[in-house]
Amino acid sequence: MRYSPSFARSSGLIPTLVALAALALLPLVFDGNYLRHLLVLAFIFAIVASSWDLSLGYGGLFNFSHVALFAVGIYAYGLVAKTLGLSPWLGLVVAGGAAGLVAALITLPIMRLSGIYIILVTIAASQVLYQIVISQSQITGGTSGMVSLPGLELFGYRMSRDGKIGYYYLALAMLVASTILLYRITRSRWGRAIVAMRDHKYYAISRGMSETRTRLFTLTVSAAISGVAGGLYGSYMRVASPDNFGLGLLGLLLSMLLLGGAGTIWGPILAAFFVTIVSEALAEYGAWRNIIMSLLLIVILIFYPGGLWALLQTAREAFDVVRTQAIATLRRRSGKAAREALTGGQERIISTRHGRVAVADGGGNGPALLFIHGNSSAKEAFAEQFKAFRDRYRVISFDLPGHGVSDNADPEQDYSVEAFADVAEDVLQALGVTNPLVFGWSLGGYIAIELAARGYPIRALSVSGTPPLRVVPEDVGKAYDATSHFALASRRFLSPSEVRDFATSTTGPRDRATKHLHRAVMRTDGRARAYTLGKLQIVDWPRQMRFLRAAAVPFAILNGSKDPFLNHQYFRELKLTQWTGEPADVVGAGHAPFLTMPAAFNARLAAFLEAVEKGNSMSQTTDRPTIPE
């Protein structure tokens, strides 16, 4: 499903607020007029580049008339504020309306065009607009342009006073407003239609989307935003020049869009600051400045085709890897006694094919009972089961790589269902365990099934919150009732509110029994979530299903009856369990019944294990074992 949280709940909220606070305080700390001037230009260019991203990046429309529409906004402002003598503030509104209207007219001839033909038509439209400006010299000033355009005033205060600080805050406010508008558009039904028309045009049309309305909306809105920015630029620079139709400004703004990363909104804004400030820092190199900037653009796009935004995400990922590994190392050194007290098992570190993992071993001479935890959790999730079964079984659990106090690992090699099954094999071998009884929860259920399906000898298998799949992704839509919290399972970066939401939906509200699992979500290497779920399509699901249908080992499903992620009917239709003929749901429990209702869950699991020990074949007969209430 598509997960689109409000920005206030996203992981970008805090960095954005910090950046805004820094920009707001900057004029109060540094009174240099030139720096202020550069930032005002950066704000304006950021508005133009990010609005262009709506049509080019999100819409896939190679609209090369966007900069000309920015110039239309400049001239519209000049005509209203100077020629007609009306309010300059009205000029800003007219600038946006004029640019949007011209964009709508340009949309008509490109309605059924694509690719290079749109490029040619929009370039031709830019030239037509340029010729109109040049030819109507009595109105536009021709090649000389329009000079001494009126500036903006607010309650008698001229924005150009005090080092143009008024323009600074006005441009910053307009950048914030345009970004909010673009952000909301891209996450609305219009935004989904724009992207669908770009990626799967004919499928989108077949689903009832109008190509005409979508293109018209995309080009008109992006042009209107750019037009308003053009009006602000005209009032600030007080000049409307035909040079604004030229290739120089086109190249500058296009470099911001590509360098920042198309289809991101934030990337072009970041690049606008980068290009403006770096270009000015290279001013003393004269003609070499453009050469250096061009080479820098080429290098970044070669190594990071996604632009500066992709580079920033790479840096963010590197920081998150260091952060989560540091948490794991610190907790491994300082919290061992508390974890051992929680489970009653001895903790040790075991080296596996996929890195070092932490293992809790209850010890004893009884049959081995292995518990495998789910996504973004830890072995301590089974603390109640360690206590309930340690008298009869050797209870074992381990932290998956990138989880708990295990080390982070190579995401390409070590974060997958198959790799986690390798880890389970290595742990059992290191402990000298053979033929264990295995329970897997959520992602751990798929790991447990994979462990058994590949031929590793186990005595019995049970899962919870794990719908067996036949084919992915088709069965995922049938097996799960997707919610926003379900979508968080594959997100690399989680905000604090998303961590709380995900932990609450999987393990229950934060309290004394679950607080360590809430902390486990924050500790988890985000790449483990993204890579493991991203690789689900390459898992050999038919092999897993053949194994379960063959009833090679006793099998039980112990779901919570109120698990919010599952389509419970899907389980009943599969008819896989050999214990009761259908899932033995824990009534009233959610996604983690062993944690939230341990007594009821343990009774069901104990009944299943007892049946296994008695040699019950679990065959599909009319005589079913009694399930404890």
Side-chain angles (χ1 to χ4, degrees):
M1 67 169 293
R2 187 177 187 274
Y3 175 63
S4 184
S6 65
F7 189 71
R9 299 173 65 84
S10 73
S11 56
L13 175 64
I14 294 177
T16 300
L17 292 178
V18 170
L20 277 177
L23 291 172
L25 294 174
L26 192 62
L28 306 179
V29 178
F30 300 98
D31 58 359
N33 291 341
Y34 189 62
L35 174 61
R36 196 175 298 164
H37 167 71
L38 287 179
L39 288 174
V40 170
L41 293 180
F43 295 154
I44 295 173
F45 291 153
I47 295 172
V48 180
S50 59
S51 63
W52 195 358
D53 194 28
L54 180 64
S55 60
L56 196 154
Y58 281 88
L61 299 172
F62 295 95
N63 169 29
F64 278 75
S65 64
H66 191 80
V67 177
L69 296 171
F70 170 70
V72 166
I74 299 175
Y75 274 92
Y77 174 84
L79 292 173
V80 171
K82 182 178 182 179
T83 306
L84 299 179
L86 300 177
S87 168
W89 293 101
L90 178 61
L92 289 182
V93 177
V94 174
L101 178 61
V102 174
L105 296 175
I106 294 175
T107 304
L108 297 178
I110 66 172
M111 198 63 68
R112 298 190 180 278
L113 300 178
S114 61
I116 192 173
Y117 300 104
I118 294 180
I119 297 176
L120 295 175
V121 171
T122 54
I123 290 177
S126 301
Q127 292 303 305
V128 169
L129 293 171
Y130 173 75
Q131 291 301 325
I132 291 174
V133 167
I134 294 298
S135 63
Q136 302 300 312
S137 57
Q138 70 278 14
I139 300 176
T140 64
T143 57
S144 300
M146 303 175 70
V147 297
S148 300
L149 299 182
L152 294 170
E153 295 184 9
L154 186 63
F155 302 116
Y157 178 81
R158 296 197 311 273
M159 295 288 181
S160 57
R161 285 180 53 187
D162 304 320
K164 298 184 177 181
I165 193 170
Y167 274 111
Y168 179 92
Y169 285 112
L170 176 61
L172 177 59
M174 289 182 64
L175 174 59
V176 171
S178 70
T179 304
I180 292 174
L181 176 60
L182 291 169
Y183 184 86
R184 292 180 67 87
I185 288 174
T186 56
R187 280 152 180 77
S188 68
R189 65 182 185 89
W190 280 108
R192 291 191 288 273
I194 290 170
V195 174
M197 201 63 66
R198 178 197 67 189
D199 294 340
H200 305 285
K201 173 181 173 180
Y202 295 107
Y203 178 76
I205 293 174
S206 71
R207 301 294 294 177
M209 295 181 186
S210 170
E211 181 181 10
T212 301
R213 286 198 301 270
T214 303
R215 283 192 172 185
L216 184 63
F217 176 87
T218 305
L219 293 172
T220 302
V221 171
S222 63
I225 296 173
S226 182
V228 174
L232 178 62
Y233 182 85
S235 71
Y236 177 70
M237 300 298 291
R238 302 191 66 187
V239 173
S241 170
D243 291 340
N244 293 319
F245 289 92
L247 293 177
L249 186 58
L250 174 64
L252 176 68
L253 291 169
L254 183 60
S255 68
M256 292 177 182
L257 175 56
L258 297 179
L259 184 61
T264 63
I265 297 297
W266 300 102
I269 295 174
L270 178 65
F273 288 93
F274 178 84
V275 171
T276 302
I277 294 174
V278 173
S279 178
E280 185 58 32
L282 298 174
E284 63 183 70
Y285 293 95
W288 282 96
R289 174 172 66 174
N290 293 333
I291 297 175
I292 295 173
M293 288 298 298
S294 299
L295 290 175
L296 184 61
L297 173 63
I298 292 171
V299 169
I300 291 178
L301 291 181
I302 287 176
F303 289 99
Y304 286 93
L308 291 176
W309 189 246
L311 180 61
L312 181 63
Q313 297 308 305
T314 300
R316 183 184 182 187
E317 179 183 291
F319 172 78
D320 193 63
V321 170
V322 173
R323 179 189 66 83
T324 54
Q325 180 61 58
I327 292 174
T329 302
L330 180 63
R331 291 179 181 174
R332 189 161 60 223
R333 293 175 178 173
S334 62
K336 180 179 179 181
R339 291 190 299 276
E340 289 183 336
L342 192 62
T343 63
Q346 181 182 5
E347 182 176 286
R348 56 185 290 192
I349 302 299
I350 293 179
S351 295
T352 72
R353 282 170 280 179
H354 301 284
R356 299 190 308 162
V357 301
V359 180
D361 183 3
N365 298 319
L369 175 57
L370 174 67
F371 288 90
I372 306 177
H373 69 75
N375 180 12
S376 301
S377 188
K379 60 185 181 299
E380 289 75 34
F382 304 111
E384 294 298 325
Q385 285 65 55
F386 270 85
K387 298 172 184 177
F389 293 99
R390 62 188 174 191
D391 292 337
R392 297 187 60 183
Y393 299 95
R394 181 183 179 182
V395 185
I396 302 167
S397 187
F398 63 92
D399 291 327
L400 296 171
H403 294 70
V405 293
S406 294
D407 285 338
N408 289 348
D410 181 352
E412 295 287 351
Q413 303 295 326
D414 306 323
Y415 291 156
S416 67
V417 170
E418 294 90 339
F420 292 156
D422 291 341
V423 172
E425 285 187 11
D426 294 346
V427 167
L428 293 171
Q429 182 177 1
L431 297 178
V433 171
T434 57
N435 294 319
L437 303 151
V438 182
F439 171 82
W441 167 53
S442 195
L443 172 64
Y446 293 125
I447 299 168
I449 298 173
E450 173 63 22
L451 177 68
R454 63 172 52 177
Y456 191 87
I458 67 173
R459 293 184 60 192
L461 174 66
S462 56
V463 298
S464 179
T466 308
L469 304 174
R470 295 158 296 194
V471 59
V472 170
E474 287 80 359
D475 274 0
V476 174
K478 301 174 184 177
Y480 290 96
D481 283 337
T483 66
S484 60
H485 298 171
F486 174 77
L488 294 174
S490 61
R491 285 176 67 86
R492 184 168 303 186
F493 306 113
L494 298 177
S495 68
S497 63
E498 289 173 331
V499 168
R500 182 178 61 252
D501 289 344
F502 182 65
T504 299
S505 63
T506 54
T507 62
R510 185 185 178 100
D511 55 26
R512 293 184 61 185
T514 63
K515 64 180 181 180
H516 60 285
L517 298 177
H518 280 245
R519 294 171 63 212
V521 178
M522 182 63 78
R523 172 273 176 268
T524 300
D525 184 357
R527 301 174 303 170
R529 284 188 293 267
Y531 277 76
T532 303
L533 271 71
K535 295 176 184 177
L536 287 184
Q537 293 197 37
I538 64 174
V539 175
D540 193 347
W541 299 110
R543 180 180 66 181
Q544 290 197 8
M545 187 59 68
R546 287 194 300 270
F547 170 81
L548 295 176
R549 292 199 182 283
V553 297
F555 178 56
I557 298 175
L558 309 174
N559 293 328
S561 67
K562 294 185 177 180
D563 191 321
F565 303 136
L566 303 181
N567 174 9
H568 295 273
Q569 182 60 30
Y570 176 85
F571 285 87
R572 290 187 285 270
E573 292 174 353
L574 287 179
K575 299 185 182 301
L576 287 176
T577 180
Q578 295 90 45
W579 182 37
T580 61
E582 61 181 23
D585 288 350
V586 179
V587 178
H591 188 58
F594 54 88
L595 178 68
T596 56
M597 298 184 66
F601 173 85
N602 292 341
R604 280 166 168 71
L605 181 59
F608 171 66
L609 298 179
E610 183 179 354
V612 172
E613 289 183 347
K614 289 181 178 179
N616 191 327
S617 66
M618 310 290 179
S619 60
Q620 300 284 351
T621 67
T622 56
D623 298 323
R624 297 296 180 194
T626 300
I627 305 175
E629 294 297 332

